[in-house]
Amino acid sequence: MLSVVILGTGNLAKHLFTAITETDGAQVVQVVGRNRDHLEWFSEKTAISNDFSSVVEADVYLIAVKDDAITEVSQALSHKEGVVAHTSGAVSLTAIAAERKGVFYPLQTFTEGKTLDFKSIPLCIEGSSPEDILVLQKLANCLSDNVQQIDSDQRKKLHLAAVFVNNFTNHLFRVGEEICLENQLSFDLLKPLIKETAEKVQSISPRAAQTGPARRGDQKSMQEHLKLLKNKNQIALYTLCSEAIENAYEKEL
């Protein structure tokens, strides 16, 4: 059984902890973090510490902290024999200050209190040697049915794509919610549409799935929409997105 130390106490650390705890192939032997209050969440099931000089020996060290703290945290592990891996989509493998280094990136959005099926989450791994990759592969296989070996350059671009499909899309949901609330409409009315939009791209390409006024080149509808908007940021966003869609399909209009 693989022994794992998690460094960090945020949403991702909690989800990783839960997933590893539920598998038979690995166990979390310690969680380390600076915030004592946040550490208490883990205290009933494993050892905890807020002292980075007291990290125990383990096969894998998973660093689940903010991107700009990864190198600093990894420096406290430079003398360890296990594989030191960060969990970021945007940070290179070389940010790890340890001889045995790796990346263990779960491609998903993690929100506190939201239960996820880790088996369906793509786990993107990278290692500094074939031996380190094998260790990370073994841990990843315990947690997910979708494990991919992806290098730092590919992963950064994948993370960029993820920002578009998740972070930006969610912001558009927020704008839609604001428009509903401003006009005494329930955002629940849009949820079946949101669900269908997400489900549709599971079977056809986003290009083929595109609909709407900009896709049709319906200038009259778009001008009417712009008249309804009072918020300058919403106007700019609507205009930018509409122009991007028009440009993508201009040869088909």
Side-chain angles (χ1 to χ4, degrees):
M1 179 178 288
L2 288 171
S3 56
V4 180
V5 170
I6 296 176
L7 299 103
T9 57
N11 289 333
L12 177 53
K14 290 178 179 178
H15 278 90
L16 284 169
F17 178 81
T18 300
I20 295 171
T21 300
E22 292 175 350
T23 187
D24 295 328
Q27 62 175 340
V28 179
V29 295
Q30 187 185 39
V31 175
V32 182
R34 292 188 173 92
N35 191 308
R36 259 290 175 186
D37 293 334
H38 291 175
L39 279 171
E40 288 302 320
W41 189 90
F42 305 89
S43 63
E44 292 186 5
K45 293 186 178 180
T46 193
I48 60 172
S49 176
N50 63 351
D51 181 1
F52 283 80
S53 66
S54 66
V55 179
V56 302
E57 294 297 328
D59 297 310
V60 180
Y61 299 89
L62 295 179
I63 301 177
V65 300
K66 293 180 180 180
D67 287 0
D68 57 5
I70 288 173
T71 299
E72 179 187 354
V73 171
S74 70
Q75 287 171 347
L77 308 169
S78 59
H79 60 290
K80 297 297 184 183
E81 294 183 4
V83 181
V84 179
H86 71 66
T87 55
S88 170
V91 176
S92 172
L93 173 73
T94 57
I96 298 287
E99 184 174 347
R100 301 187 66 188
K101 61 189 71 177
V103 178
F104 196 84
Y105 170 51
L107 181 53
Q108 187 52 273
T109 175
F110 295 95
T111 303
E112 187 170 3
K114 178 68 170 65
T115 303
L116 292 170
D117 176 15
F118 231 93
K119 283 292 182 183
S120 65
I121 296 176
L123 272 174
C124 305
I125 63 170
E126 183 181 7
S128 56
S129 71
E131 293 77 17
D132 296 342
I133 291 171
L134 284 175
V135 173
L136 295 175
Q137 179 94 41
K138 183 178 179 181
L139 176 60
N141 286 338
C142 292
L143 305 181
S144 174
D145 292 330
N146 187 357
V147 180
Q148 305 287 332
Q149 188 175 332
I150 296 177
D151 65 32
S152 289
D153 185 57
Q154 290 175 309
R155 180 167 35 80
K156 287 180 181 180
K157 292 169 183 175
L158 183 62
H159 185 261
L160 170 61
V163 168
F164 273 93
V165 304
N166 174 241
N167 305 134
F168 291 170
T169 301
N170 189 73
H171 180 69
L172 294 178
F173 293 161
R174 177 186 172 183
V175 172
E177 182 183 44
E178 289 173 349
I179 293 172
C180 286
L181 293 175
E182 289 167 1
N183 294 278
Q184 294 77 53
L185 293 164
S186 172
F187 182 64
D188 288 346
L189 290 169
L190 294 176
K191 289 181 179 177
L193 176 61
I194 292 171
K195 182 178 181 182
E196 173 61 16
T197 302
E199 289 181 347
K200 191 159 49 173
V201 296
Q202 306 302 316
S203 56
I204 62 176
S205 74
R207 180 175 182 82
Q210 186 70 58
T211 60
R215 172 65 181 87
R216 299 190 302 270
D218 186 349
Q219 298 297 325
K220 183 177 179 180
S221 291
M222 288 188 282
Q223 289 303 316
E224 290 300 317
H225 284 165
L226 287 170
K227 290 177 184 178
L228 293 172
L229 294 172
K230 308 301 180 186
N231 183 300
K232 64 179 183 180
N233 290 329
Q234 292 177 0
I235 292 171
L237 191 58
Y238 186 97
T239 301
L240 181 63
C241 289
S242 295
E243 289 178 352
I245 294 170
E246 285 184 296
N247 290 338
Y249 295 90
E250 61 181 348
K251 294 182 179 179
E252 301 174 26
L253 294 177

